Amino acid sequence: MIDDAPDGGRAGPAAEGGLLDPAFLQRLEALSLVSRRRVRGRQRGERRSLVRGRGIEFDDYRAYEPGDDYRYIDWNIASRLDRFFVKLFSEEEDLDVRLLVDSSRSMAAGAPVSKLLLAKRLAAAIGYIGLVNLDRVEVGVFSSAPGPRLTRLRGRGRAFDLLRFLDGIAAGGETDLGLALRRTLDASPRRGLLVVISDLLDPHGYEDGLLRARHYRVQMFVIHVLADDELAPRLSGELRLVDAETGRAVEVTVDADALRAYAAARDAYLDGVQRFCFRYGIDYLRTTTSVPADDLVLRYLRQGGLVR
Amino acid sequence: MILGAPAALWALAAVPLLVALYLLRVRRREHIVSSVLLWTRSLPSWTAFRPSRHIERSLLLLLQIAAAAALALALAQPSLLGWTLGGGDVVLVLDASLSMRARDVVPTRFDRARAEARDVLARLGLGQRAALVLAAAHPLVLVPPTDDRGRLGAALASAEPWDVAADMPAAVVLASQLAPGPRRRILVWTDAARSPVPALPGVAPRVLGTASDNTGIVAFRVVQSTEGATALVRATNFGAQPVRAPLRVSRDGAPVYSAIMTLGPSETRTASFPVSGTGVLRAQLDVRDALPDDKAAEALLDPAPLPSVLLVSPGDPPLERLLRVAPVARAAATRDTDPIGWRGYDVVILDRVQTGPVPPGRYLAIGTVPPNLPASPSGVVDAPDVATWDRQDPILRFVDFTGVQIRQALRLAPESGRVLAAGPSPLLWAYDDGRLRAIVLAFALADSDLPRHVAFPVLLANSLAWLGGDAAGLRAGQTFEMPAAGAAGVVLLRPDGRRVDIRARDGVFSLPLPRAGIYRVITPDGERSLSVALGSDSAGIIAAGAAGRGEADAAGRRTAARLAVWPWFVLLAAAAALGEWALATRRHGGDA
């Protein structure tokens, strides 16, 4: 049975009532989000920009051209090679971080915490990292259509807004990832980092939405959240399985053979998601509700290259 | 099994209907899952959704089918045919002939008979009595009428066929005497190979056997003579087809003789050849038929042991002189007429002494008759002539009474036994009741000139051989009586390897000899071997005979003996329905 799982089980960042506890937040402050691509922000931030010029981090040399600032000529090279080269520096700009949380009805499943709660904690942690690094953070909710969004967050002082927004998300509606991505990116077409946290159990398919997002040249990171019961159902007997989102029913005799068939379908599905993301350069991390959010952020998202 | 209402079997059509209803009425529990996406993706395998899976795994359905099928069968009123057992005594008669070892009925005719008899025992009514008779060379009452099933079953389990030709008529008559009532049932299992079953009231024969061809060794023995030992192997073809049978004889594994015996239908041939040494000869006939048990035989090569002789006499010089040279192991003389002093001797010669009743043993009585012999003298006869004597009898072999003068003899009046020589009255008489074997010479040696004739030593040798050489000529089915000679018990090792402990009774060991072959008797004084031949030369006939009128009676009773089994099917249906209900109740709301 699908439930809004209580926040029992292992003590996580929000064990005391909030999504993230102070100790975890303190550890997050040492982290920053990683952009595989050089980003182009609007304001000066703490991130290497595609724009080379006045930054402090050396990036490259190029031949001197008339009009270049003399201060950037490398005189040591000029004395050895008798040619002028100009030192290039990376500009440090801010990063657009967009967090998209799946709040469909299926996300209510899971134990010891629901998939939705885990997704909210992950979004809170990632958003908080962005805020403390002066990135521009935007968080949105989607199910069958884009839900409420919280935009233009920047700086540590907006963390409370972020957490309060996430805390108010409840599960409901069907999943339509394609529609949600399209509307989100249409409304905010900037490049940047797009983190999608979803169970990808989309009857319409996840492929179209993710492919469309690539057209906006954003760096995508998909966090695939699944419940343990979805990976290995603990069912048996003559059952009428009802989809929590669509109400669609499937009659099935669950026995060892049926579970083997399910496992084969599950493996094919998960393998398909992973191959799809790899093929289109989408960073992908799969987790289950039994993995605590702090482990995911401090360990797996680091290994996955989203934070450092 | 017969059906009283076969049309009711149409009710079995309810079974496929039940299956169809089952498939249609599967009750499924509703379970909400986050998504059925992966379940629908597993659909193409169809393994989880095949309707037959419901049938395979549903104990409930199986119980329902069982209940429905049992009910349908019960409606058909099935009943079993069998011998009616009624309420009277039942006597089970088992043919224990050699031919019942034939394997044309699996595993053997006797084993099949035993199994069927066991079934009959299981169907006896409460308190109904049964008896068990084994038809061997002589009928044996293994268990008198009793309602003790355990005793009957144990006796049945230990019963075995003998190497004899059963006396079926005697066995059936004995069985009828055991159960004289009008409601008695005498169930006979036999192959009726040699004689039909007497058609007495209440007798129901069951004839077993299909094969008829058999060739076997019917006799194998070694004859000792002054020229040496000669082995005789006699084989008979009991079938209707000629048989070419290789014969091999060995001694302790070493070949001694081989030949090809060509036997026409119902033909008997004897192979003879000289043998020497000691030991056991084994003859093997290489023929394959339904009765393998008569293809091998054994014979003792050793000459029969000589008897020890005690002469109880006031003094008889001719007799004492002759005993010194006679073929005896040892000879002694005494005047003591107390039988206690005679122990340890195989033969006791009572010469003109008056004794009381003599214990079981071997006796040559000369001029006297022990009072417990059935030939009490009724006076004397003066100067009798030996008018006739039986020259064929082994005791009188080569004995010629011509010219023998007798002054006076006892007037014997034998009630049984056989008269070997006679004048006005029996002069030489032999008696053997199995426990007491005796030869009575009606006159004293001193009252005749017999000691001067050559017949005297020959008669004495023959008499001692007959009295002491009793182990010769033994046949299966006999009981060998051996004087205990003070021993309390002996061990009998049978040819099939079984060991039997025999206790002395009335100074005699009664050794049962159900099988042919070499028996070994282990006594405190040593070991003795006995060679036992087949109980009858016709024991190898295996062709099953007709059951006679008795079988018609049995068939009639089968009709009357229809045992209704439909109540059992009703019980089965009720049990299955109850089980289904209990299981369904227990599973209510649980896993299917």
Side-chain angles (χ1 to χ4, degrees):
Chain A
M1 187 72 71
I2 192 165
D3 299 312
D4 286 322
D7 297 338
R10 178 172 172 174
E16 298 300 327
L19 288 176
L20 305 175
D21 63 15
F24 183 52
L25 290 175
Q26 193 171 2
R27 300 184 66 183
L28 294 179
E29 290 182 0
L31 303 177
S32 62
L33 298 175
V34 175
S35 173
R36 282 192 293 109
R37 299 173 184 169
R38 286 182 184 172
V39 297
R40 182 163 191 174
R42 293 181 177 176
Q43 302 176 35
R44 180 176 173 78
E46 296 186 350
R47 196 163 305 280
R48 292 175 65 187
S49 165
L50 289 172
V51 179
R52 289 166 177 164
R54 296 167 297 171
I56 58 172
E57 189 174 352
F58 172 75
D59 189 66
D60 202 355
Y61 289 99
R62 69 170 169 79
Y64 173 80
E65 293 177 359
D68 286 340
D69 192 336
Y70 300 130
R71 291 177 296 174
Y72 297 108
I73 294 175
D74 191 328
W75 296 104
N76 291 327
I77 292 177
S79 62
R80 289 203 301 270
L81 302 179
D82 206 17
R83 290 180 62 185
F84 295 117
F85 286 89
V86 176
K87 287 193 286 188
L88 299 178
F89 295 88
S90 294
E91 288 279 5
E92 291 182 344
E93 294 183 357
D94 60 350
L95 174 67
D96 273 326
V97 178
R98 272 168 289 187
L99 303 168
L100 207 52
V101 177
D102 183 355
S103 65
S104 63
R105 175 83 178 137
S106 66
M107 291 292 284
V113 297
S114 67
K115 291 189 286 185
L116 180 62
L117 181 57
L118 180 61
K120 290 194 291 186
R121 286 175 178 173
L122 289 173
I126 297 167
Y128 185 76
I129 294 171
L131 290 177
V132 298
N133 287 282
L134 298 179
D135 293 326
R136 285 197 300 145
V137 175
E138 178 181 323
V139 58
V141 178
F142 77 95
S143 52
S144 55
R149 286 197 303 154
L150 187 62
T151 60
R152 300 169 184 262
L153 300 177
R154 192 163 192 266
R156 188 190 305 267
R158 302 299 301 275
F160 180 74
D161 295 336
L162 172 70
L163 296 179
R164 189 171 55 182
F165 175 80
L166 289 171
D167 204 26
I169 298 174
E174 300 176 26
T175 307
D176 193 340
L177 181 60
L179 180 63
L181 281 173
R182 187 170 70 244
R183 291 189 178 175
T184 299
L185 292 171
D186 284 347
S188 178
R190 301 186 312 276
R191 297 177 186 178
L193 178 62
L194 175 61
V195 179
V196 177
I197 308 173
S198 170
D199 58 10
L200 299 182
L201 295 174
D202 187 344
H204 310 97
Y206 57 87
E207 295 90 344
D208 288 345
L210 295 179
L211 281 177
R212 181 179 295 275
R214 286 184 72 247
H215 297 156
Y216 291 86
R217 305 179 69 81
V218 294
Q219 178 193 346
M220 289 189 64
F221 201 107
V222 173
I223 301 178
H224 193 179
V225 181
L226 291 167
D228 289 333
D229 272 353
E230 290 165 343
L231 294 176
R234 285 172 294 185
L235 302 173
S236 66
E238 311 288 348
L239 298 176
R240 184 171 183 270
L241 303 178
V242 180
D243 193 305
E245 291 185 9
T246 65
R248 181 185 174 190
V250 172
E251 291 190 344
V252 61
T253 302
V254 182
D255 57 5
D257 289 340
L259 292 176
R260 274 194 290 273
Y262 180 89
R266 174 204 63 201
D267 292 343
Y269 169 75
L270 296 179
D271 191 52
V273 174
Q274 195 161 4
R275 285 173 181 273
F276 177 85
C277 291
F278 180 77
R279 180 178 177 186
Y280 294 106
I282 300 171
D283 293 316
Y284 174 77
L285 175 70
R286 182 167 66 238
T287 186
T288 69
T289 52
S290 58
V291 181
D294 50 355
D295 273 1
L296 278 170
V297 174
L298 299 175
R299 193 170 156 194
Y300 296 108
L301 287 183
R302 267 183 168 175
Q303 293 174 359
L306 183 64
V307 300
R308 65 180 174 187
Chain B
M1 180 181 290
I2 63 170
L3 299 176
L9 289 179
W10 283 105
L12 286 173
V15 172
L17 189 64
L18 205 59
V19 174
L21 286 175
Y22 179 83
L23 293 176
L24 292 174
R25 73 165 183 88
V26 172
R27 293 187 295 264
R28 298 181 183 276
R29 283 184 299 121
E30 191 166 287
H31 187 90
I32 298 176
V33 294
S34 55
S35 173
V36 296
L37 179 70
L38 296 179
W39 286 106
T40 53
R41 290 194 176 194
S42 66
L43 272 172
S45 69
W46 290 109
T47 54
F49 306 94
R50 202 172 60 226
S52 62
R53 300 193 57 76
H54 305 312
I55 302 173
E56 291 169 7
R57 65 191 302 274
S58 175
L59 181 59
L60 292 176
L61 176 63
L62 290 178
L63 286 173
Q64 290 165 6
I65 290 175
L71 202 58
L73 289 172
L75 290 174
Q77 299 176 18
S79 55
L80 291 174
L81 283 178
W83 285 329
T84 180
L85 299 177
D89 289 348
V90 177
V91 184
L92 313 177
V93 181
L94 266 66
D95 184 349
S97 302
L98 170 67
S99 56
M100 290 293 281
R101 294 182 189 274
R103 300 181 183 179
D104 53 343
V105 175
V106 178
T108 66
R109 295 177 182 179
F110 191 84
D111 289 331
R112 174 71 66 83
R114 190 206 317 264
E116 293 182 3
R118 194 178 290 121
D119 290 343
V120 169
L121 286 182
R123 287 162 43 199
L124 287 176
L126 191 65
Q128 190 173 12
R129 299 193 312 163
L132 181 59
V133 172
L134 193 70
H138 307 286
L140 299 173
V141 179
L142 297 184
V143 181
T146 177
D147 59 357
D148 185 347
R149 304 284 190 277
R151 186 180 171 197
L152 287 162
L156 195 58
S158 61
E160 58 174 357
W162 294 18
D163 290 346
V164 300
D167 188 351
M168 285 306 300
V172 173
V173 169
L174 176 63
S176 65
Q177 292 168 352
L178 285 175
R183 299 172 63 198
R184 64 144 185 238
R185 299 305 320 283
I186 299 173
L187 309 181
V188 183
W189 284 269
T190 179
D191 55 13
R194 286 156 294 276
S195 60
V197 178
L200 298 177
V203 174
R206 164 85 162 100
V207 177
L208 299 161
T210 56
S212 59
D213 290 339
N214 178 48
T215 301
I217 298 172
V218 296
F220 182 30
R221 63 191 179 99
V222 176
V223 179
Q224 302 285 348
S225 66
T226 53
E227 287 80 21
T230 301
L232 303 172
V233 182
R234 190 162 71 245
T236 300
N237 175 11
F238 297 102
Q241 302 296 325
V243 171
R244 190 168 177 272
L247 171 69
R248 291 181 286 108
V249 180
S250 59
R251 185 183 63 204
D252 301 329
V256 171
Y257 176 79
S258 65
I260 303 293
M261 300 185 80
T262 302
L263 299 164
S266 304
E267 184 181 7
T268 297
R269 283 184 180 274
T270 301
S272 64
F273 47 92
V275 290
S276 60
T278 60
V280 175
L281 289 176
R282 178 177 176 81
Q284 178 76 41
L285 206 60
D286 290 333
V287 182
R288 302 189 70 171
D289 51 44
L291 184 61
D293 290 64
D294 65 350
K295 304 300 178 284
E298 291 180 329
L300 277 177
L301 187 51
D302 309 284
L306 297 175
S308 56
V309 178
L310 175 67
L311 174 60
V312 184
S313 170
D316 193 328
L319 192 54
E320 291 169 2
R321 278 199 303 273
L322 184 56
L323 284 176
R324 285 193 210 102
V325 297
V328 296
R330 62 190 173 96
T334 182
R335 292 172 183 269
D336 185 5
T337 58
D338 186 354
I340 295 176
W342 303 346
R343 288 179 176 175
Y345 290 91
D346 297 321
V347 178
V348 177
I349 301 177
L350 303 173
D351 181 26
R352 295 168 290 158
V353 292
Q354 298 300 317
T355 66
V358 293
R362 316 288 193 246
Y363 298 94
L364 171 59
I366 301 175
T368 183
V369 181
N372 55 331
L373 284 180
S376 312
S378 58
V380 296
V381 180
D382 292 327
D385 290 329
V386 184
T388 61
W389 62 93
D390 185 356
R391 291 177 171 83
Q392 303 300 317
D393 195 282
I395 297 174
L396 294 183
R397 195 178 182 196
F398 305 125
V399 174
D400 185 357
F401 284 116
T402 304
V404 173
Q405 300 292 321
I406 303 170
R407 187 172 60 197
Q408 191 180 58
L410 297 173
R411 183 184 297 276
L412 298 180
E415 299 168 9
S416 58
R418 63 184 193 272
V419 175
L420 304 177
S425 64
L427 296 173
L428 186 64
W429 173 76
Y431 174 76
D432 185 6
D433 66 359
R435 301 167 62 83
L436 193 61
R437 179 180 288 192
I439 298 174
V440 175
L441 189 62
F443 52 92
L445 296 178
D447 289 338
S448 75
D449 62 353
L450 179 62
R452 296 181 199 165
H453 290 260
V454 70
F456 176 54
V458 176
L459 174 63
L460 184 65
N462 287 350
S463 298
L464 292 178
W466 185 74
L467 291 171
D470 46 9
L474 288 174
R475 283 183 174 270
Q478 294 179 344
T479 298
F480 177 54
E481 304 284 348
M482 191 175 81
V490 294
V491 173
L492 179 67
L493 295 177
R494 298 181 10 165
D496 55 8
R498 288 176 59 181
R499 174 192 175 104
V500 185
D501 291 318
I502 308 289
R503 309 299 299 175
R505 182 173 294 177
D506 298 332
V508 172
F509 294 117
S510 297
L511 308 179
L513 308 172
R515 304 291 302 269
I518 304 299
Y519 289 74
R520 290 167 59 207
V521 185
I522 302 173
T523 67
D525 297 331
E527 185 176 315
R528 179 179 180 186
S529 295
L530 305 175
S531 180
V532 178
L534 280 181
S536 166
D537 287 357
S538 65
I541 299 174
I542 66 169
R549 192 162 57 86
E551 188 167 48
D553 290 343
R557 283 183 181 83
R558 280 194 187 105
T559 305
R562 281 171 52 169
L563 303 174
V565 294
W566 63 266
W568 294 103
F569 283 103
V570 171
L571 281 178
L572 178 64
L578 196 63
E580 197 271 348
W581 174 79
L583 199 59
T585 303
R586 188 174 64 81
R587 287 185 171 184
H588 181 69
D591 291 343

